[in-house]
Each structure stands twice: as C-alpha cells, then as structure tokens.
Amino acid sequence: MHASIRRNEPLAAVPATGEVRIPLALYAVDELRGCADLVMSRAEAQAVFTELAEALGCVHQAPVQRSLEAVR
C-alpha cells in the first residue's frame, strides 16, 4: 500500500484549529483503494515537512512557518 497526494486538490489549513489537511489517494500497487485526508497540527506538519526536506537534501530560502501559512 502507498499514498499519493490527490491531484488538483489543494492542501488546506484551518486557522481556527491550526490543522493542516493533506488530501491523499490510497493505492494497493497501482489500484486506487480510496481517498482520505491526512490531518495534522501545524507543529506536526512543520516537523514532517522539515524532516522530509532534510532527508531529500532540500535547502529552503524561507522558514517552514511561512511555507505552511501559505497553505489555504
């Protein structure tokens, strides 16, 4: 099983709760099995984003906080 971001569906932030929602498509090999939103707090999303960026060797010009605030 694996998950991919659903195409043409934007990430969303809920200012009232601080949640970040990431629309995912769930697959078994290459067969779509369903859809779900990954819901995290802003702090959790920042930690995951930073960890992935570091693991991939990405260099960021702006702080992660600004990047997540841009998600609406």
Side-chain angles (χ1 to χ4, degrees), residues 1-7 22-27 29-30 32 34-36:
M1 300 275 306
H2 72 277
S4 296
I5 294 176
R6 293 193 307 257
R7 293 183 180 171
I22 304 166
L24 298 176
L26 309 173
Y27 292 90
V29 185
D30 288 333
L32 180 64
C35 295

Side-chain angles (χ1 to χ4, degrees), residues 10-71:
L11 302 175
V14 182
T17 63
E19 291 177 343
V20 176
R21 293 178 174 268
I22 304 166
L24 298 176
L26 309 173
Y27 292 90
V29 185
D30 288 333
E31 184 178 331
L32 180 64
R33 295 296 183 137
C35 295
D37 286 348
L38 174 61
V39 181
M40 295 185 275
S41 70
R42 184 172 298 278
E44 290 169 325
Q46 287 175 321
V48 169
F49 183 83
T50 300
E51 189 72 28
L52 288 172
E54 289 174 1
L56 295 171
C58 298
V59 177
H60 298 286
Q61 301 299 324
V64 174
Q65 179 70 24
R66 276 195 201 142
S67 299
L68 289 175
E69 285 178 0
V71 176

